[in-house]
Amino acid sequence: MTDSAFLYTLNPDGSAMIGYEDYDVDIFDGDDYEVTYLLDTENFNNLLHHLNIPLNRDTKKLLKKEFGQHFDSRKFEEFCKEHGISYERNVRIG
């Protein structure tokens, strides 16, 4: 693996996508590996509430601070489970 990126997109309807992409992953013969979590508006707001992150702040920066520069999926999933936050998880290799 050569690099990793933290992904965050806030959609116009208030829903969000959070995740990460690893580039040039050896176990996938050099393919990229991307994991994204899609949260509808209600669940994204619930996530921000439980993290004490106001929506008008630098949300991406604060999410990185909470879940790590390269996004700790396990920590994110455990946090969501603990607080009843639902998401749709997607994985893409290629």
Side-chain angles (χ1 to χ4, degrees):
M1 182 176 75
T2 59
D3 203 359
S4 181
F6 184 99
L7 306 172
Y8 168 73
T9 302
L10 178 60
N11 299 312
D13 67 357
S15 64
M17 183 277 301
I18 304 169
Y20 66 95
E21 184 170 20
D22 290 335
Y23 306 106
D24 194 25
V25 180
D26 292 335
I27 62 170
F28 298 121
D29 295 325
D31 283 342
D32 297 342
Y33 178 78
E34 179 181 280
V35 178
T36 56
Y37 297 89
L38 306 174
L39 294 96
D40 63 21
T41 303
E42 179 183 345
N43 284 288
F44 183 60
N45 287 333
N46 196 14
L47 175 70
L48 296 181
H49 169 77
H50 286 289
L51 292 171
N52 294 316
I53 297 175
L55 188 55
N56 59 350
R57 300 294 293 261
D58 186 352
T59 306
K60 183 176 181 178
K61 180 179 176 181
L62 295 170
L63 289 169
K64 278 184 179 182
K65 183 177 178 182
E66 184 65 34
F67 297 112
Q69 182 71 24
H70 302 291
F71 194 75
D72 184 336
S73 294
R74 184 169 291 144
K75 182 176 180 180
F76 175 79
E77 290 180 13
E78 288 173 5
F79 184 88
C80 288
K81 183 177 180 181
E82 180 181 325
H83 295 286
I85 299 167
S86 297
Y87 54 81
E88 179 184 323
R89 182 176 186 259
N90 295 301
V91 175
R92 183 186 63 79
I93 300 170

